[in-house]
């Protein structure tokens, strides 16, 4: 048996708490925790972004309550019809185990993800994925909900993903990735999630989770995204009228800075902490605006070891004044804005702005000062395009200045388990994203395209601002910094998929896909291409990114 490094300490602790307590939020009827997947959530567009609704849409994952229940139930009944045989019901209609009582519900499923593919442009490599997973969910009346899943995986990836895993020792979005000694191309890893939610009051939900979070209305988030691996968090979410407020504290791992104890051979990964707050106000049915703040700090600084900072425990205080009371604070602070406007009945314009550091005089001078660290997003999304039911679309522009998300102390940078907490490209980039999704009965069709430019470093000692794991105190110059500086890279990514849905309850489907990726470095005359076809039997709602 191979040695694997999942965050067992956090996961076991959470499962223990799960066995002793529980929850879910609504206050009126049994609700459902829905794991975040862009592909599934975009099917809720005609409810979330309709001008006749006034819903909070930025915080994900969501709990399916009364406002979303009708649309969600329609999706969960897609293709369902009367079947007499047990096998037919389980394959097409129901969870593998499905118990529904007046006081509680319970379900459980086996989740396969078996894929095989061929990378024709990458040297003719055969790729495959062998994932055996399971999930279970419990609700008790309108107060308690528990959701857990677990996956055991082996696979061979296209070479650009393979190179990423080899370099970072991380399976993107899933944690530690180990190379099998018998065949270096085969990777082996485990992945699990657990979410425990409790409706403490009519207007307050408490969630303890080993999971991911996403803030925004786009495909990417420049504030907080689900790019990195799972982490342990305690989250309070309240609603009062048209205002929603979230305060979250997170415990994350940092394999980039392992613990160094001479007396211990395997000291394990270091840890870091984060506190995140988001306030969302639906001004009316069309316009909403949200304010975001976060602070991240490492388990050590120049003075030595450091634990949880209880100054950030207050859930309703502005963290910036608290952070500033710590003279020469080593913590990483971000402020952000998230907004959307329903311009038409089926078209919503959205945007984000994140500020990492700000010098007013230099910011408005436009001289490329190194301390002006910001990121921005502008996009639009919609549903029923051209009057075609269930044709959803999204177009988005993202950018981040050099050194955004990095810190003078890399231990406190904006990352979790060796991956960014915002955009997978780090910083110092421009990107365009376009996505089309169309559903017809049991068939789903999707197209995803990404084009972007970013600047990288010519060597490990130079820092042009793309690598957020380098200290920004090693910047090359104070003035004259611009987006894309350094070694210029361009990336083109296109992904098309078609699937046929067997069971909507756990998203069991057969899926065929095609990927084209071209990464070029014009100054070096280099480019790398991936042209791949895949076919698989897949299940579950999971959101992973391979467009990096």
């Amino acid at each position: 048996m191979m040695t694997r490094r999942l965050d067992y300490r956090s996961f076991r602790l959470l499962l223990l708490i799960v066995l002793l307590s529980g929850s879910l939020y609504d206050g009126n009827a049994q609700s459902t925790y829905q794991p975040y997947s862009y592909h599934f959530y975009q099917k809720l567009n005609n409810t979330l972004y309709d001008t006749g609704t006034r819903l909070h849409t930025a915080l994900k994952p969501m709990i399916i309550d009364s406002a979303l229940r009708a649309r969600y139930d329609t999706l969960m009944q897609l293709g369902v019809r009367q079947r007499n045989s047990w096998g037919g019901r389980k394959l097409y209609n129901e969870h593998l185990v499905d118990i529904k009582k007046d006081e509680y519900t319970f379900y459980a499923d086996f989740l396969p993800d078996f894929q095989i593919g061929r990378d024709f442009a990458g040297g003719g490599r055969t790729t495959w994925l062998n994932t055996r997973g399971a999930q279970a969910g419990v609700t008790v009346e309108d107060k308690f909900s528990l959701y857990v899943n677990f996956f055991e995986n082996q696979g061979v990836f296209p070479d650009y993903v393979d190179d990423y895993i080899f370099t970072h020792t991380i399976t993107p979005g899933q944690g530690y990735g180990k190379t099998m000694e018998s065949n270096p191309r085969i990777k082996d890893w485990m992945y699990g999630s657990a979410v425990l939610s409790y409706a403490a009051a009519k207007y307050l939900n408490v969630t303890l989770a080993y999971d991911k979070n996403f803030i925004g209305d786009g495909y990417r988030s420049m504030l907080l995204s689900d790019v990195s691996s799972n982490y342990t968090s305690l989250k309070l979410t309240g609603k009062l009228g048209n205002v929603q407020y979230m305060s979250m504290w997170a415990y994350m791992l940092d394999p980039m800075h392992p613990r160094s104890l001479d007396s211990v051979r395997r000291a394990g990964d270091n840890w870091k902490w984060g506190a995140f707050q988001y306030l969302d106000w639906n001004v009316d049915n069309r316009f909403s605006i949200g304010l975001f703040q976060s602070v991240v700090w490492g388990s050590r600084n120049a003075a030595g070891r450091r634990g949880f900072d209880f100054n950030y425990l207050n859930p309703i205080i502005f963290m910036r004044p608290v952070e500033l009371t710590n003279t020469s604070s080593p913590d990483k602070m971000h402020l952000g804005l998230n907004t959307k406007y329903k311009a038409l009945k089926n078209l919503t314009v959205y945007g984000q702005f994140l500020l990492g550091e700000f010098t007013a005089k230099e910011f408005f001078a436009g001289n490329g000062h190194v301390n002006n660290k910001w990121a921005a997003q502008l996009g639009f999304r919609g549903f029923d395009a051209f009057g075609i039911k269930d044709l959803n679309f999204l177009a988005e522009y993202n950018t981040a200045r050099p050194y955004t998300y990095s810190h003078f102390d890399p231990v406190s940078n904006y990352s979790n388990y060796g991956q960014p907490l915002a955009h997978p490209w780090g910083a110092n980039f421009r990107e365009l994203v376009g996505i089309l999704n169309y559903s017809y009965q049991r068939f789903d069709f999707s197209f995803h395209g990404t084009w972007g430019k970013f600047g990288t470093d010519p060597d490990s000692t130079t820092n042009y601002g793309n690598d957020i794991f380098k200290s920004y105190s090693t910047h090359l110059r104070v003035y004259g910094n611009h987006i894309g500086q350094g070694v210029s890279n361009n990336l083109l990514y296109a992904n098309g998929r078609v699937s046929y849905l067997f069971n909507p309850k756990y998203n069991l489907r057969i899926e065929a896909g095609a990927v084209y990726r071209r990464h070029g470095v014009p100054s070096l005359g280099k480019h790398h291409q991936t042209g791949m076809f895949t076919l698989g039997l897949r299940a579950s709602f999971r959101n992973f990114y391979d467009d990096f």
Side-chain angles (χ1 to χ4, degrees):
M1 183 74 127
M2 301 179 61
T3 303
R4 306 172 180 89
R5 291 189 304 177
L6 186 64
D7 183 8
Y8 285 117
R9 182 169 56 183
S10 299
F11 194 61
R12 287 174 178 172
L13 176 62
L14 184 56
L15 287 179
L16 176 62
I17 298 174
V18 160
L19 294 174
L20 298 176
S21 58
S23 75
L24 187 61
Y25 174 78
D26 182 3
N28 295 315
Q30 286 180 339
S31 302
T32 304
Y33 167 80
Q34 178 58 44
Y36 178 58
S37 159
Y38 173 84
H39 182 75
F40 179 80
Y41 271 58
Q42 56 88 28
K43 295 183 179 183
L44 302 172
N45 282 355
N46 59 3
T47 299
L48 290 173
Y49 297 100
D50 186 82
T51 53
T53 65
R54 198 170 184 174
L55 303 177
H56 299 282
T57 59
L59 291 180
K60 304 175 182 77
M62 290 181 177
I63 292 173
I64 306 300
D65 57 15
S66 57
L68 291 171
R69 176 57 62 181
R71 176 58 178 167
Y72 180 80
D73 286 346
T74 298
L75 295 173
M76 290 297 106
Q77 293 299 317
L78 186 62
V80 172
R81 61 180 178 83
Q82 181 66 37
R83 299 179 189 273
N84 296 323
S85 68
W86 181 89
R89 296 198 309 273
K90 299 306 176 183
L91 179 60
Y92 294 104
N93 293 2
E94 303 173 358
H95 294 286
L96 181 62
V97 179
D98 200 349
I99 301 173
K100 295 180 180 179
K101 302 293 184 179
D102 292 338
E103 299 82 10
Y104 69 91
T105 68
F106 173 80
Y107 69 86
D109 297 294
F110 170 67
L111 302 177
D113 196 348
F114 304 137
Q115 298 182 62
I116 188 167
R118 186 75 170 175
D119 183 1
F120 294 96
R125 172 180 294 193
T126 298
T127 64
W128 53 267
L129 178 65
N130 178 11
T131 293
R132 292 85 60 209
Q135 70 173 5
V138 176
T139 66
V140 177
E141 295 181 337
D142 59 356
K143 294 291 184 182
F144 169 80
S145 175
L146 161 67
Y147 174 82
V148 295
N149 63 32
F150 187 79
F151 301 89
E152 169 73 13
N153 316 266
Q154 292 84 35
V156 173
F157 295 95
D159 52 3
Y160 79 95
V161 179
D162 200 41
D163 291 343
Y164 186 97
I165 297 173
F166 179 80
T167 302
H168 299 84
T169 324
I170 296 167
T171 303
Q174 301 181 67
Y176 177 70
K178 185 177 180 63
T179 299
M180 295 188 68
E181 295 180 3
S182 59
N183 187 340
R185 289 188 174 183
I186 300 177
K187 303 298 184 284
D188 184 47
W189 72 101
M190 296 182 358
Y191 178 83
S193 306
V195 180
L196 179 67
S197 179
Y198 176 64
K202 182 178 180 181
Y203 303 108
L204 177 64
N205 172 251
V206 182
T207 300
L208 179 64
Y210 182 71
D211 199 11
K212 307 179 184 185
N213 294 273
F214 187 99
I215 297 178
D217 292 281
Y219 172 70
R220 307 284 199 196
S221 175
M222 311 306 287
L223 306 182
L224 178 64
S225 81
D226 59 338
V227 168
S228 72
S229 307
N230 288 349
Y231 48 87
T232 301
S233 64
L234 174 64
K235 180 166 59 176
L236 307 180
T237 306
K239 294 181 182 179
L240 184 61
N242 296 312
V243 176
Q244 181 187 54
Y245 181 74
M246 182 275 291
S247 192
M248 179 176 70
W249 301 269
Y251 169 83
M252 300 172 284
L253 288 181
D254 184 9
M256 306 295 287
H257 303 91
R259 284 180 280 181
S260 56
L261 300 175
D262 295 336
S263 60
V264 180
R265 184 183 174 204
R266 299 182 63 185
D269 298 323
N270 234 314
W271 63 89
K272 60 197 302 183
W273 304 92
F276 307 84
Q277 294 177 349
Y278 181 72
L279 176 67
D280 192 54
W281 177 32
N282 286 336
V283 180
D284 55 29
N285 280 19
R286 291 181 178 268
F287 180 63
S288 71
I289 186 169
L291 302 177
F292 170 81
Q293 60 178 348
S294 71
V295 60
V296 175
W297 66 99
S299 63
R300 72 169 190 260
N301 54 31
R305 289 286 173 186
R306 183 182 180 194
F308 183 83
D309 192 332
F310 288 91
N311 288 310
Y312 300 126
L313 193 59
N314 193 316
I316 58 175
I317 197 169
F318 289 105
M319 292 188 291
R320 184 59 173 172
V322 175
E323 189 256 349
L324 286 175
T325 59
N326 184 355
T327 307
S328 301
S329 170
D331 304 338
K332 180 60 176 176
M333 187 80 194
H334 283 115
L335 301 174
L337 176 72
N338 182 81
T339 186
K340 73 173 188 288
Y341 179 72
K342 300 174 186 176
L344 302 173
K345 180 176 176 57
N346 65 337
L347 176 69
T348 297
V349 180
Y350 61 88
Q352 292 184 335
F353 184 79
L354 176 130
L355 194 60
E357 196 167 338
F358 176 72
T359 304
K361 176 182 176 181
E362 308 294 352
F363 184 87
F364 294 104
N367 52 20
H369 195 277
V370 67
N371 285 345
N372 290 327
K373 306 180 183 73
W374 54 264
Q377 176 186 88
L378 180 64
F380 61 87
R381 65 184 303 163
F383 57 92
D384 297 348
F386 310 111
I388 302 174
K389 181 177 173 56
D390 295 328
L391 176 59
N392 297 327
F393 59 92
L394 176 146
E396 182 175 291
Y397 173 74
N398 301 297
T399 187
R401 279 189 53 80
Y403 310 103
T404 305
Y405 306 111
S406 62
H407 196 43
F408 66 81
D409 183 0
V411 173
S412 299
N413 73 344
Y414 203 58
S415 72
N416 165 56
Y417 209 90
Q419 287 191 277
L421 279 169
H423 197 286
W425 294 5
N428 193 26
F429 67 85
R430 291 186 175 92
E431 177 196 39
L432 289 171
V433 178
I435 302 177
L436 280 174
N437 297 92
Y438 176 60
S439 299
Y440 177 74
Q441 296 180 1
R442 290 180 179 268
F443 286 96
D444 276 337
F445 305 88
S446 68
F447 173 79
H448 170 199
T450 297
W451 178 86
K453 287 190 173 184
F454 54 95
T456 56
D457 302 326
D459 53 63
S460 60
T461 61
T462 306
N463 185 6
Y464 277 106
N466 170 259
D467 188 351
I468 69 172
F469 296 95
K470 291 182 178 180
S471 170
Y472 69 63
S473 62
T474 61
H475 59 264
L476 295 181
R477 51 182 175 260
V478 176
Y479 294 97
N481 295 282
H482 61 275
I483 296 173
Q485 66 183 13
V487 180
S488 179
N489 292 247
N490 54 65
L491 180 66
L492 174 64
Y493 174 91
N495 183 334
R497 295 181 183 178
V498 57
S499 64
Y500 181 82
L501 184 67
F502 290 118
N503 192 316
K505 299 298 190 298
Y506 54 101
N507 203 22
L508 179 65
R509 66 201 186 275
I510 185 170
E511 181 179 275
V515 173
Y516 177 76
R517 177 183 181 271
R518 190 181 192 278
H519 176 202
V521 187
S523 63
L524 301 179
K526 295 182 179 180
H527 73 273
H528 174 270
Q529 295 188 93
T530 298
M532 186 170 63
F533 291 93
T534 60
L535 180 65
L537 177 67
R538 314 192 66 186
S540 83
F541 303 94
R542 299 194 292 169
N543 207 47
F544 299 130
Y545 299 85
D546 57 5
D547 54 343
F548 52 82

